[in-house]
PDB file of all heavy atoms in Angstrom:
ATOM      1  N   TYR A 147    -175.250  -4.271-137.220  1.00  0.00           N
ATOM      2  CA  TYR A 147    -174.649  -5.153-138.166  1.00  0.00           C
ATOM      3  C   TYR A 147    -175.401  -6.484-138.300  1.00  0.00           C
ATOM      4  O   TYR A 147    -175.206  -7.214-139.320  1.00  0.00           O
ATOM      5  CB  TYR A 147    -173.163  -5.478-137.957  1.00  0.00           C
ATOM      6  CG  TYR A 147    -172.392  -4.059-137.985  1.00  0.00           C
ATOM      7  CD1 TYR A 147    -171.781  -3.578-136.812  1.00  0.00           C
ATOM      8  CD2 TYR A 147    -172.261  -3.505-139.257  1.00  0.00           C
ATOM      9  CE1 TYR A 147    -171.037  -2.408-137.070  1.00  0.00           C
ATOM     10  CE2 TYR A 147    -171.461  -2.340-139.404  1.00  0.00           C
ATOM     11  CZ  TYR A 147    -170.878  -1.821-138.297  1.00  0.00           C
ATOM     12  OH  TYR A 147    -170.190  -0.651-138.309  1.00  0.00           O
ATOM     13  N   TRP A 148    -176.139  -6.852-137.394  1.00  0.00           N
ATOM     14  CA  TRP A 148    -176.871  -8.174-137.395  1.00  0.00           C
ATOM     15  C   TRP A 148    -178.004  -8.088-138.491  1.00  0.00           C
ATOM     16  O   TRP A 148    -178.498  -9.030-138.891  1.00  0.00           O
ATOM     17  CB  TRP A 148    -177.503  -8.489-136.051  1.00  0.00           C
ATOM     18  CG  TRP A 148    -178.381  -7.373-135.512  1.00  0.00           C
ATOM     19  CD1 TRP A 148    -178.008  -6.342-134.700  1.00  0.00           C
ATOM     20  CD2 TRP A 148    -179.803  -7.194-135.696  1.00  0.00           C
ATOM     21  NE1 TRP A 148    -179.082  -5.561-134.387  1.00  0.00           N
ATOM     22  CE2 TRP A 148    -180.192  -6.122-135.014  1.00  0.00           C
ATOM     23  CE3 TRP A 148    -180.725  -7.997-136.362  1.00  0.00           C
ATOM     24  CZ2 TRP A 148    -181.554  -5.632-134.997  1.00  0.00           C
ATOM     25  CZ3 TRP A 148    -181.977  -7.499-136.424  1.00  0.00           C
ATOM     26  CH2 TRP A 148    -182.473  -6.388-135.757  1.00  0.00           C
ATOM     27  N   LEU A 149    -178.380  -6.855-138.913  1.00  0.00           N
ATOM     28  CA  LEU A 149    -179.406  -6.680-140.004  1.00  0.00           C
ATOM     29  C   LEU A 149    -178.849  -7.074-141.369  1.00  0.00           C
ATOM     30  O   LEU A 149    -179.651  -7.401-142.226  1.00  0.00           O
ATOM     31  CB  LEU A 149    -179.810  -5.295-140.091  1.00  0.00           C
ATOM     32  CG  LEU A 149    -180.753  -4.714-138.988  1.00  0.00           C
ATOM     33  CD1 LEU A 149    -180.973  -3.270-139.011  1.00  0.00           C
ATOM     34  CD2 LEU A 149    -182.071  -5.443-138.983  1.00  0.00           C
ATOM     35  N   LEU A 150    -177.634  -7.090-141.609  1.00  0.00           N
ATOM     36  CA  LEU A 150    -177.047  -7.482-142.869  1.00  0.00           C
ATOM     37  C   LEU A 150    -177.419  -8.801-143.405  1.00  0.00           C
ATOM     38  O   LEU A 150    -177.912  -8.964-144.542  1.00  0.00           O
ATOM     39  CB  LEU A 150    -175.564  -7.286-142.914  1.00  0.00           C
ATOM     40  CG  LEU A 150    -175.024  -5.890-142.914  1.00  0.00           C
ATOM     41  CD1 LEU A 150    -173.516  -5.813-142.869  1.00  0.00           C
ATOM     42  CD2 LEU A 150    -175.526  -5.001-144.108  1.00  0.00           C
ATOM     43  N   PRO A 151    -177.314  -9.871-142.632  1.00  0.00           N
ATOM     44  CA  PRO A 151    -177.768 -11.263-143.111  1.00  0.00           C
ATOM     45  C   PRO A 151    -179.282 -11.265-143.362  1.00  0.00           C
ATOM     46  O   PRO A 151    -179.671 -11.968-144.332  1.00  0.00           O
ATOM     47  CB  PRO A 151    -177.361 -12.199-141.935  1.00  0.00           C
ATOM     48  CG  PRO A 151    -176.362 -11.393-141.156  1.00  0.00           C
ATOM     49  CD  PRO A 151    -176.625 -10.100-141.289  1.00  0.00           C
ATOM     50  N   VAL A 152    -180.074 -10.582-142.599  1.00  0.00           N
ATOM     51  CA  VAL A 152    -181.486 -10.503-142.811  1.00  0.00           C
ATOM     52  C   VAL A 152    -181.863  -9.872-144.058  1.00  0.00           C
ATOM     53  O   VAL A 152    -182.637 -10.398-144.905  1.00  0.00           O
ATOM     54  CB  VAL A 152    -182.115  -9.851-141.615  1.00  0.00           C
ATOM     55  CG1 VAL A 152    -183.691  -9.611-141.776  1.00  0.00           C
ATOM     56  CG2 VAL A 152    -181.919 -10.555-140.283  1.00  0.00           C
ATOM     57  N   ILE A 153    -181.181  -8.826-144.398  1.00  0.00           N
ATOM     58  CA  ILE A 153    -181.445  -8.086-145.699  1.00  0.00           C
ATOM     59  C   ILE A 153    -181.001  -8.904-146.806  1.00  0.00           C
ATOM     60  O   ILE A 153    -181.624  -8.988-147.876  1.00  0.00           O
ATOM     61  CB  ILE A 153    -180.781  -6.741-145.656  1.00  0.00           C
ATOM     62  CG1 ILE A 153    -181.400  -5.862-144.540  1.00  0.00           C
ATOM     63  CG2 ILE A 153    -180.797  -5.959-146.945  1.00  0.00           C
ATOM     64  CD1 ILE A 153    -180.734  -4.565-144.229  1.00  0.00           C
ATOM     65  N   LEU A 154    -179.804  -9.599-146.652  1.00  0.00           N
ATOM     66  CA  LEU A 154    -179.299 -10.399-147.799  1.00  0.00           C
ATOM     67  C   LEU A 154    -180.221 -11.504-148.131  1.00  0.00           C
ATOM     68  O   LEU A 154    -180.422 -11.814-149.233  1.00  0.00           O
ATOM     69  CB  LEU A 154    -177.871 -10.845-147.431  1.00  0.00           C
ATOM     70  CG  LEU A 154    -176.788  -9.756-147.581  1.00  0.00           C
ATOM     71  CD1 LEU A 154    -175.526 -10.380-147.027  1.00  0.00           C
ATOM     72  CD2 LEU A 154    -176.745  -9.070-148.804  1.00  0.00           C
ATOM     73  N   VAL A 155    -180.805 -12.206-147.037  1.00  0.00           N
ATOM     74  CA  VAL A 155    -181.713 -13.329-147.362  1.00  0.00           C
ATOM     75  C   VAL A 155    -182.951 -12.788-147.970  1.00  0.00           C
ATOM     76  O   VAL A 155    -183.503 -13.413-148.871  1.00  0.00           O
ATOM     77  CB  VAL A 155    -182.015 -14.013-145.939  1.00  0.00           C
ATOM     78  CG1 VAL A 155    -183.070 -14.998-146.035  1.00  0.00           C
ATOM     79  CG2 VAL A 155    -180.765 -14.778-145.511  1.00  0.00           C
ATOM     80  N   MET A 156    -183.405 -11.630-147.484  1.00  0.00           N
ATOM     81  CA  MET A 156    -184.661 -11.124-148.147  1.00  0.00           C
ATOM     82  C   MET A 156    -184.407 -10.792-149.548  1.00  0.00           C
ATOM     83  O   MET A 156    -185.268 -11.071-150.429  1.00  0.00           O
ATOM     84  CB  MET A 156    -185.165  -9.948-147.419  1.00  0.00           C
ATOM     85  CG  MET A 156    -185.772 -10.268-145.997  1.00  0.00           C
ATOM     86  SD  MET A 156    -186.211  -8.751-144.996  1.00  0.00           S
ATOM     87  CE  MET A 156    -187.176  -7.754-146.138  1.00  0.00           C
ATOM     88  N   LEU A 157    -183.208 -10.286-149.939  1.00  0.00           N
ATOM     89  CA  LEU A 157    -182.960  -9.915-151.272  1.00  0.00           C
ATOM     90  C   LEU A 157    -182.789 -11.239-152.141  1.00  0.00           C
ATOM     91  O   LEU A 157    -183.311 -11.267-153.316  1.00  0.00           O
ATOM     92  CB  LEU A 157    -181.698  -9.135-151.387  1.00  0.00           C
ATOM     93  CG  LEU A 157    -181.850  -7.682-150.974  1.00  0.00           C
ATOM     94  CD1 LEU A 157    -180.489  -6.992-150.917  1.00  0.00           C
ATOM     95  CD2 LEU A 157    -182.721  -6.884-151.803  1.00  0.00           C
ATOM     96  N   ALA A 158    -182.121 -12.279-151.584  1.00  0.00           N
ATOM     97  CA  ALA A 158    -182.004 -13.516-152.249  1.00  0.00           C
ATOM     98  C   ALA A 158    -183.370 -14.140-152.637  1.00  0.00           C
ATOM     99  O   ALA A 158    -183.620 -14.631-153.684  1.00  0.00           O
ATOM    100  CB  ALA A 158    -181.109 -14.393-151.500  1.00  0.00           C
ATOM    101  N   LEU A 159    -184.251 -14.181-151.527  1.00  0.00           N
ATOM    102  CA  LEU A 159    -185.604 -14.821-151.800  1.00  0.00           C
ATOM    103  C   LEU A 159    -186.402 -13.955-152.836  1.00  0.00           C
ATOM    104  O   LEU A 159    -187.068 -14.579-153.641  1.00  0.00           O
ATOM    105  CB  LEU A 159    -186.319 -14.894-150.463  1.00  0.00           C
ATOM    106  CG  LEU A 159    -185.869 -15.898-149.436  1.00  0.00           C
ATOM    107  CD1 LEU A 159    -186.650 -15.846-148.223  1.00  0.00           C
ATOM    108  CD2 LEU A 159    -186.015 -17.240-150.120  1.00  0.00           C
ATOM    109  N   GLY A 160    -186.298 -12.689-152.767  1.00  0.00           N
ATOM    110  CA  GLY A 160    -187.051 -11.781-153.733  1.00  0.00           C
ATOM    111  C   GLY A 160    -186.496 -12.003-155.207  1.00  0.00           C
ATOM    112  O   GLY A 160    -187.296 -12.177-156.115  1.00  0.00           O
ATOM    113  N   ALA A 161    -185.171 -12.182-155.297  1.00  0.00           N
ATOM    114  CA  ALA A 161    -184.571 -12.450-156.641  1.00  0.00           C
ATOM    115  C   ALA A 161    -185.017 -13.810-157.117  1.00  0.00           C
ATOM    116  O   ALA A 161    -185.307 -13.982-158.346  1.00  0.00           O
ATOM    117  CB  ALA A 161    -182.978 -12.300-156.579  1.00  0.00           C
ATOM    118  N   LEU A 162    -185.075 -14.865-156.263  1.00  0.00           N
ATOM    119  CA  LEU A 162    -185.491 -16.097-156.624  1.00  0.00           C
ATOM    120  C   LEU A 162    -186.980 -16.187-157.114  1.00  0.00           C
ATOM    121  O   LEU A 162    -187.205 -16.755-158.078  1.00  0.00           O
ATOM    122  CB  LEU A 162    -185.343 -17.052-155.434  1.00  0.00           C
ATOM    123  CG  LEU A 162    -185.734 -18.499-155.603  1.00  0.00           C
ATOM    124  CD1 LEU A 162    -184.750 -19.205-156.600  1.00  0.00           C
ATOM    125  CD2 LEU A 162    -185.720 -19.247-154.295  1.00  0.00           C
ATOM    126  N   ILE A 163    -187.761 -15.420-156.395  1.00  0.00           N
ATOM    127  CA  ILE A 163    -189.162 -15.323-156.913  1.00  0.00           C
ATOM    128  C   ILE A 163    -189.285 -14.639-158.162  1.00  0.00           C
ATOM    129  O   ILE A 163    -190.079 -15.019-159.051  1.00  0.00           O
ATOM    130  CB  ILE A 163    -190.040 -14.629-155.803  1.00  0.00           C
ATOM    131  CG1 ILE A 163    -190.119 -15.527-154.554  1.00  0.00           C
ATOM    132  CG2 ILE A 163    -191.309 -14.243-156.265  1.00  0.00           C
ATOM    133  CD1 ILE A 163    -190.765 -14.939-153.322  1.00  0.00           C
ATOM    134  N   VAL A 164    -188.592 -13.566-158.438  1.00  0.00           N
ATOM    135  CA  VAL A 164    -188.745 -12.848-159.585  1.00  0.00           C
ATOM    136  C   VAL A 164    -188.102 -13.623-160.791  1.00  0.00           C
ATOM    137  O   VAL A 164    -188.762 -13.711-161.887  1.00  0.00           O
ATOM    138  CB  VAL A 164    -187.911 -11.501-159.492  1.00  0.00           C
ATOM    139  CG1 VAL A 164    -187.666 -10.832-160.906  1.00  0.00           C
ATOM    140  CG2 VAL A 164    -188.629 -10.551-158.577  1.00  0.00           C
ATOM    141  N   LEU A 165    -187.029 -14.303-160.567  1.00  0.00           N
ATOM    142  CA  LEU A 165    -186.385 -15.111-161.692  1.00  0.00           C
ATOM    143  C   LEU A 165    -187.245 -16.390-161.989  1.00  0.00           C
ATOM    144  O   LEU A 165    -187.222 -16.799-163.141  1.00  0.00           O
ATOM    145  CB  LEU A 165    -184.946 -15.542-161.263  1.00  0.00           C
ATOM    146  CG  LEU A 165    -184.050 -14.320-161.147  1.00  0.00           C
ATOM    147  CD1 LEU A 165    -182.744 -14.777-160.792  1.00  0.00           C
ATOM    148  CD2 LEU A 165    -183.848 -13.625-162.553  1.00  0.00           C
ATOM    149  N   ALA A 166    -187.926 -16.883-160.977  1.00  0.00           N
ATOM    150  CA  ALA A 166    -188.644 -18.170-161.173  1.00  0.00           C
ATOM    151  C   ALA A 166    -190.077 -17.892-161.734  1.00  0.00           C
ATOM    152  O   ALA A 166    -190.833 -18.812-161.931  1.00  0.00           O
ATOM    153  CB  ALA A 166    -188.672 -19.020-159.999  1.00  0.00           C
ATOM    154  N   GLU A 167    -190.485 -16.581-161.810  1.00  0.00           N
ATOM    155  CA  GLU A 167    -191.894 -16.312-162.182  1.00  0.00           C
ATOM    156  C   GLU A 167    -192.236 -16.822-163.518  1.00  0.00           C
ATOM    157  O   GLU A 167    -193.361 -17.337-163.724  1.00  0.00           O
ATOM    158  CB  GLU A 167    -191.972 -14.776-162.185  1.00  0.00           C
ATOM    159  CG  GLU A 167    -193.412 -14.297-162.223  1.00  0.00           C
ATOM    160  CD  GLU A 167    -193.542 -12.822-161.957  1.00  0.00           C
ATOM    161  OE1 GLU A 167    -193.121 -12.474-160.873  1.00  0.00           O
ATOM    162  OE2 GLU A 167    -193.803 -12.107-162.868  1.00  0.00           O
ATOM    163  N   GLY A 168    -191.440 -16.819-164.495  1.00  0.00           N
ATOM    164  CA  GLY A 168    -191.761 -17.243-165.838  1.00  0.00           C
ATOM    165  C   GLY A 168    -191.130 -18.435-166.250  1.00  0.00           C
ATOM    166  O   GLY A 168    -191.138 -18.839-167.497  1.00  0.00           O
TER     167      GLY A 168
END
Side-chain angles (χ1 to χ4, degrees):
Y147 296 113
W148 57 270
L149 285 174
L150 287 176
V152 175
I153 293 169
L154 291 177
V155 168
M156 286 175 51
L157 287 174
L159 286 175
L162 181 67
I163 290 171
V164 167
L165 291 176
E167 191 171 297

